[in-house]
Amino acid sequence: MTTPVLYLGSAWSSSWSVVGWMACRLGGLAVEERTIFLSRPDSPAKLKAISPSGRVPALHLPDGAVLWDSLAIAEWLWERDPSCAIWPRDPAKRAYARCVAAEVHSHFDEVRNGLPMNLIKRWPVKDGLPSNVKLMNRPGVRTGTERLEAIWRDARARHGGPYVMGTEFCFADAVMAPMCSRYVTYGVELPADSMAFIVAQMESPLMREWRARAEAQAEQIGREVVLQYP
């Protein structure tokens, strides 16, 4: 193997795959991409064969090393080339971006579980109640959302937007983008400033490219299968 291999999950639902893929793009690393579709009978065995954690993304390097965590992939890429777009060059801004990325990487499981990512589905209104009324009352979703909104507002106040660190998209945005996608999928209406941040994340060049990948995979497999998602 002379080219690094990046193993990814289903584009429409594997939120950590988005993060690892964006890290490689921001880090300027050319990779061979291989997809393991999740939630299939043979998926666990395939995942364990390529990742010690049994999860994706997993980056296999030509020297035999395996990086099986998106944040570790990002840090390895930045150490490889500190001039890349993973982190801001200014030390104070870099520290802030790392704090944001680390918090999102380590927390918000309630939001992830309460609003599973699905880039091609739009959740219907049920029982006459808007999505935000029912979904925001799932355990931990409202608290997690309020903290995410606080991060977005603080980032914009400090750096001006539209992204976490201002006009430059970095790894903090790569971690944030799949979180933002959940509010689009489920039709959750947040205050105008939060919705503006979500739109900026969803319309970033990298997220648009990933969304196109999700659509293409859905057409390849069959949308009726893809949409059978909890």
Side-chain angles (χ1 to χ4, degrees):
M1 178 177 67
T2 58
T3 301
V5 176
L6 179 65
Y7 289 90
L8 302 165
S10 313
W12 62 88
S13 63
S14 180
S15 59
W16 291 115
S17 292
V18 185
V19 181
W21 177 82
M22 286 188 178
C24 289
R25 294 294 296 271
L26 291 168
L29 182 69
V31 298
E32 175 189 342
E33 297 173 11
R34 300 180 186 176
T35 298
I36 297 176
F37 292 109
L38 308 181
S39 302
R40 292 182 172 181
D42 60 349
S43 298
K46 288 183 176 180
L47 291 169
K48 286 299 293 184
I50 57 93
S51 172
S53 67
R55 297 184 175 188
V56 282
L59 179 63
H60 288 227
L61 302 176
D63 64 1
V66 178
L67 305 178
W68 66 89
D69 180 87
S70 56
L71 183 56
I73 291 171
E75 291 291 6
W76 179 84
L77 288 164
W78 184 79
E79 290 176 355
R80 170 178 171 269
D81 178 13
S83 68
C84 73
I86 292 285
W87 301 120
R89 296 193 181 188
D90 178 79
K93 291 183 177 180
R94 187 163 62 246
Y96 183 91
R98 276 182 160 138
C99 284
V100 171
E103 181 176 354
V104 178
H105 184 271
S106 301
H107 300 289
F108 303 104
D109 285 346
E110 294 88 351
V111 176
R112 292 187 178 92
N113 295 331
L115 308 175
M117 190 179 93
N118 191 315
L119 292 177
I120 67 165
K121 186 173 184 177
R122 295 294 176 266
W123 203 258
V125 173
K126 292 185 177 181
D127 303 326
L129 292 175
S131 295
N132 59 319
V133 173
K134 298 185 72 175
L135 296 172
M136 290 294 285
N137 287 330
R138 290 183 175 180
V141 172
R142 186 174 298 278
T143 300
T145 298
E146 288 172 353
R147 174 56 191 151
L148 285 170
E149 290 188 276
I151 294 173
W152 303 340
R153 290 181 179 122
D154 183 67
R156 281 195 305 274
R158 291 171 181 263
H159 307 117
Y163 305 125
V164 172
M165 300 307 300
T167 59
E168 300 299 322
F169 191 98
C170 71
F171 185 69
D173 298 288
V175 177
M176 196 69 78
M179 297 300 297
C180 289
S181 77
R182 292 165 159 85
Y183 298 96
V184 177
T185 296
Y186 297 95
V188 175
E189 289 292 335
L190 299 176
D193 59 339
S194 294
M195 297 307 296
F197 183 87
I198 289 170
V199 169
Q201 289 290 330
M202 294 300 290
E203 295 300 321
S204 71
L206 287 180
M207 194 58 174
R208 287 172 66 91
E209 185 176 343
W210 186 268
R211 287 163 52 201
R213 174 190 297 240
E215 291 285 350
Q217 284 186 2
E219 295 300 330
Q220 172 191 347
I221 295 173
R223 294 180 69 93
E224 71 281 359
V225 176
V226 172
L227 290 173
Q228 290 176 8
Y229 193 74

